[in-house]
Amino acid sequence: MANLDMWEVFIQTKPGLSHKHAGTVQAPTAEMALQNARDVYTRRKEGTCVWVVPSKYIVSSEGMDQESFFDPADDKLYRHPTFYDIPNDVKNM
Amino acid sequence: MHSQILKFSNSKIMDLEKFVQYVHEENKVEPKDIMPDDYRKLLVRQISQHAHSEIVGMLPEANWISRAPSLRRKMALLAKVQDEAGHGLYLYAATETLGNGTIRADRDATYEDMLEGKAKYSSIFNYPTLSWADIGAIGWLVDGAAIMNQVMLMGNSYGPYSRAMVRICKEESFHQRQGYEILMALCRGTKQQKEMAQAALDRFWWPALMMFGPNDDSSPNSKISMNYRVKRESNDSLRQRFIDVTVSQAEFLGLTIPDKDLKWNEERGHYDFGELPWDEFMTILKGNGPCNKKRLQTKVKAQQENLWVKEAAAAFAEKQQKEVI
């Protein structure tokens, strides 16, 4: 018997926070995937909201040529606050 | 400013030296990264066998759910056994990330290997649970040993396995406390209850110590595993630490550890202990322990009798699809 569809599970621990990846479940329908995810990943009230996404729809940058994919950000130090020299006398900055 | 992660592969060609340096610098390997074949194989085997251990480990404890002495004990034991199923799932999910063209790592394939006796699970689960006190001993000693091993594995170099360990460790400590609480109740109870607790300790002490595997000098795979930063601490070191922390826990219960050579060594700063019964360990590894055959038979039967659930779910999904169209 073939494996059922794979789903990635994302849990929001508290309203206002982002959903975080928690793991995977196998299920043939979205509803069952959601129920399985709740059963496995929220046994201790870990979440206020659960998302399930078929694994095949996740597009990842992983495994690509990491360096060149993120290269443009590497030498742009001026995007960081520490690049700018403001004297300590200036408050609230 | 983030530090530059050392690349260990140039244009899809594995550079072993760079890979080893990468993991030695405490970096994590993720599923799509290029990795040495033996690293992948080692992990598929280790993580899937870890998963099998969780699933088969449910059996000796589920055995006592219907005979738990109180509702509180029954609810706690049910929850523990359910947790183990979930732990198995996290680990099968981690194993699956390692499948590539040449290695099958999906849960059906690895599970079949276990059912056919080709893949192992932890030897401790080939022992029977003969009394209610055994459930206490298992929680205290077996989960205790597992926690020690799993905390060590939280630092392993493979991302998905490391994250699964973090999750499992968070949930595992209730298991140990549940078991210890059972023994506390027995040791404070009647004479027969205390004797039952002592008998359980007598039966599970040495098997629990053997969970940490053979002595370091009899463990050739350890070196490769340590070099790849999968294994972070040696068998003997973990075993020594387990003994050191567990002795006072036994003293608190008023129980005697069944080792006449157990003695605090001031010079070493550790407990000296007796020789482990390695013959018994080898017997179990070869499949001739008290419950090896029974465990496999139970899992094969469960698979055969419950396949209809998966088939029904798949048929339902197909029917739903058709209705949508």
Side-chain angles (χ1 to χ4, degrees):
Chain A
M1 159 120 235
N3 285 311
L4 303 174
D5 291 339
M6 286 287 274
W7 303 74
E8 303 295 326
V9 178
F10 299 83
I11 313 273
Q12 180 198 42
T13 47
K14 248 170 55 185
L17 297 177
S18 306
H19 282 65
K20 263 180 69 173
H21 185 250
T24 63
V25 288
Q26 266 194 9
T29 68
E31 196 186 350
M32 283 192 238
L34 209 57
Q35 286 166 349
N36 289 350
R38 174 207 57 202
D39 289 347
V40 177
Y41 293 106
T42 67
R43 282 167 61 76
R44 290 167 176 81
K45 294 192 70 174
E46 287 100 318
T48 48
C49 178
V50 179
W51 287 349
V52 290
V53 180
S55 300
K56 62 186 181 207
Y57 292 129
I58 302 284
V59 181
S60 168
S61 68
E62 249 190 314
M64 290 179 57
D65 197 350
Q66 293 274 71
E67 261 182 33
S68 68
F69 188 73
F70 292 108
D71 197 359
D74 284 353
D75 57 0
K76 296 186 170 64
L77 298 178
Y78 45 80
R79 290 180 177 172
H80 296 260
T82 43
F83 184 80
Y84 300 91
D85 204 0
I86 309 290
N88 293 328
D89 299 348
V90 181
K91 301 297 172 203
N92 298 312
M93 208 176 288
Chain B
M1 191 64 219
H2 66 270
S3 57
Q4 200 75 12
I5 291 175
L6 190 73
K7 263 183 50 138
F8 51 80
S9 59
N10 285 315
S11 61
K12 314 277 190 243
I13 296 171
M14 167 88 296
D15 182 329
L16 185 58
E17 213 180 284
K18 276 203 175 138
F19 180 84
V20 171
Q21 187 179 0
Y22 180 80
V23 299
H24 282 205
E25 285 170 6
E26 302 299 327
N27 293 306
K28 297 290 185 204
V29 180
E30 294 295 343
K32 297 253 172 35
D33 291 338
I34 295 174
M35 60 186 82
D37 278 344
D38 63 346
Y39 180 79
R40 189 186 300 274
K41 282 200 183 97
L42 182 162
L43 282 170
V44 170
R45 189 170 159 275
Q46 178 167 336
I47 307 174
S48 61
Q49 290 191 165
H50 198 161
H52 303 328
S53 299
E54 300 281 359
I55 301 301
V56 176
M58 294 165 71
L59 294 175
E61 289 183 288
N63 183 25
W64 278 89
I65 290 174
S66 61
R67 292 172 290 171
S70 71
L71 183 59
R72 177 197 164 99
R73 298 289 179 217
K74 182 176 280 189
M75 290 190 319
L77 185 56
L78 257 169
K80 177 182 198 285
V81 172
Q82 286 173 340
D83 269 359
E84 309 293 11
H87 293 176
L89 171 63
Y90 306 153
L91 291 163
Y92 286 123
T95 313
E96 285 174 331
T97 62
L98 288 158
N100 66 4
T102 40
I103 292 185
R104 265 195 81 184
D106 59 283
R107 65 194 66 181
D108 275 0
T110 55
Y111 198 74
E112 269 310 309
D113 285 346
M114 184 267 286
L115 293 181
E116 290 171 11
K118 289 186 195 154
K120 293 196 173 1
Y121 50 86
S122 188
S123 49
I124 188 71
F125 300 119
N126 288 313
Y127 289 88
T129 43
L130 301 176
S131 77
W132 172 249
D134 288 20
I135 301 301
I138 286 179
W140 173 37
L141 300 173
V142 176
D143 284 83
I147 287 170
M148 207 158 261
N149 188 46
Q150 283 161 183
V151 167
M152 180 267 292
L153 283 171
M154 281 191 337
N156 90 81
S157 55
Y158 189 57
Y161 193 23
S162 162
R163 290 187 287 276
M165 287 296 100
V166 171
R167 197 177 184 96
I168 287 177
C169 283
K170 266 203 334 232
E171 301 180 352
E172 199 86 32
S173 58
F174 119 58
H175 298 183
Q176 190 182 27
R177 290 165 74 92
Q178 167 261 165
Y180 195 73
E181 206 191 68
I182 288 172
L183 291 174
M184 274 171 57
L186 291 172
C187 290
R188 289 168 179 171
T190 66
K191 181 164 160 288
Q192 287 99 318
Q193 286 173 327
K194 188 156 185 196
E195 281 168 3
M196 185 170 43
Q198 181 64 59
L201 172 56
D202 291 344
R203 271 180 290 102
F204 276 93
W205 175 252
W206 295 104
L209 293 189
M210 292 194 284
M211 283 174 70
F212 294 102
N215 288 133
D216 293 347
D217 48 25
S218 316
S219 188
N221 292 330
S222 285
K223 231 173 132 209
I224 302 167
S225 191
M226 295 259 230
N227 192 37
Y228 279 144
R229 291 298 186 270
V230 172
K231 195 170 171 58
R232 307 302 315 247
E233 196 178 338
S234 80
N235 295 349
D236 289 340
S237 174
L238 284 165
R239 189 178 0 252
Q240 179 68 74
R241 217 147 42 79
F242 176 74
I243 293 170
D244 290 344
V245 311
T246 308
V247 171
S248 65
Q249 293 169 351
E251 285 168 357
F252 184 85
L253 291 171
L255 295 177
T256 309
I257 290 176
D259 181 1
K260 53 174 172 48
D261 297 315
L262 188 69
K263 197 163 138 212
W264 177 253
N265 184 323
E266 188 61 46
E267 218 181 291
R268 283 202 313 130
H270 294 288
Y271 279 96
D272 288 337
F273 55 97
E275 188 64 31
L276 269 64
W278 292 115
D279 289 342
E280 187 180 309
F281 185 66
M282 290 314 295
T283 304
I284 300 216
L285 276 191
K286 292 197 177 101
N288 298 320
C291 295
N292 297 57
K293 295 196 171 65
K294 186 173 164 196
R295 298 283 176 243
L296 274 192
Q297 274 166 9
T298 308
K299 295 319 290 179
V300 169
K301 185 161 176 269
Q303 173 86 330
Q304 288 167 347
E305 291 182 354
N306 296 302
L307 209 47
W308 68 267
V309 176
K310 204 171 166 186
E311 287 169 358
F316 174 74
E318 222 185 287
K319 180 174 159 193
Q320 269 206 329
Q321 284 272 36
K322 291 203 178 112
E323 279 171 12
V324 166
I325 298 164

